[in-house]
Amino acid sequence: MRSLSVLAAAVVLLLAVTGCATGDDAVVQGGANQIVAPGGKTVITYDPADRTPIGDVSGPNLLGDGTVNLDSYKGEVVVVNVWASWCPPCRKEAPELEKVYQRVKDQGAAVVGINFRDNRGSAQDFARDRGLTYPSIYDYGGQTLSALGVPVGAVPTTVVLDRELRPVIVYLKAVSEQEIYDEVQRVLAEDVDPR
């Protein structure tokens, strides 16, 4: 698992110079750079026995005062979406994630954004213009991303965490409302580990 964390940190550094993921292929392209998704996959799943908790994922609240800390969501299923205002697929995806949030927020699930490599004012306008009510961490430099401990190969990337804040699935591509809603329902139906 340690090698996966190292890989995730390296991919975060490469992310700074890449563009958005636009397709379902395993090669994520942007500008003159390419990232090949780990194992050639754009969707990575983790078996319950192999899941490990994320690190300290917290940072300044993009639209308000204080911080957003994923530890405060322990006990809920959490959808974490890495986005930027400059990312074309994010423009379509953000309203879909807002719909997911509205559908699941009273079921023990949440959506949290991580805004990456973005001008704060542009990111705030993006969130307000799309009516996003779920919180986002402002993470220009990527420190929050490295604490997730999963591959983040492109923007957008979406990670679904179980109630113990362990990654269940990582999408290294744009996602749809139904795709994420179905995954959240599946994770909500998992038995809670009594540890």
Side-chain angles (χ1 to χ4, degrees):
M1 214 59 207
R2 175 67 69 191
S3 63
L4 189 56
S5 294
V6 171
L7 174 63
V11 171
V12 167
L13 291 175
L14 288 172
L15 179 58
V17 294
T18 63
C20 300
T22 56
D24 288 337
D25 57 350
V27 178
V28 181
Q29 299 181 5
N33 301 297
Q34 293 183 353
I35 292 177
V36 178
K41 299 178 182 178
T42 56
V43 178
I44 302 166
T45 58
Y46 297 88
D47 291 328
D50 297 331
R51 297 179 194 167
T52 58
I54 60 172
D56 178 24
V57 178
S58 64
N61 186 339
L62 174 68
L63 291 177
D65 296 326
T67 62
V68 177
N69 188 328
L70 287 188
D71 278 347
S72 66
Y73 293 93
K74 193 161 189 172
E76 295 183 64
V77 173
V78 184
V79 176
V80 180
N81 177 253
V82 181
W83 65 275
S85 65
W86 45 259
C87 168
C90 298
R91 295 178 193 138
K92 179 176 186 280
E93 183 180 70
E96 301 230 344
L97 289 167
E98 177 63 25
K99 290 176 189 172
V100 170
Y101 175 62
Q102 293 303 324
R103 291 173 73 181
V104 302
K105 67 182 181 179
D106 295 327
Q107 298 177 5
V111 175
V112 176
I114 298 177
N115 177 253
F116 176 70
R117 280 280 193 233
D118 210 345
N119 172 283
R120 189 171 190 149
S122 297
Q124 290 170 334
D125 289 345
F126 178 98
R128 288 186 186 115
D129 289 349
R130 284 157 183 80
L132 304 183
T133 61
Y134 57 85
S136 281
I137 296 169
Y138 181 67
D139 186 29
Y140 183 86
Q143 293 82 4
T144 299
L145 294 181
S146 62
L148 276 173
V150 298
V152 179
V155 175
T157 290
T158 302
V159 182
V160 178
L161 305 174
D162 67 15
R163 291 181 183 91
E164 298 297 319
L165 300 181
R166 302 173 303 179
V168 174
I169 191 166
V170 178
Y171 297 91
L172 298 170
K173 64 182 188 93
V175 295
S176 69
E177 173 189 356
Q178 197 60 49
E179 181 175 32
I180 293 301
Y181 178 79
D182 290 346
E183 187 61 29
V184 168
Q185 294 305 305
R186 191 185 69 72
V187 179
L188 281 169
E190 288 182 349
D191 289 335
V192 178
D193 188 352
R195 283 189 257 172

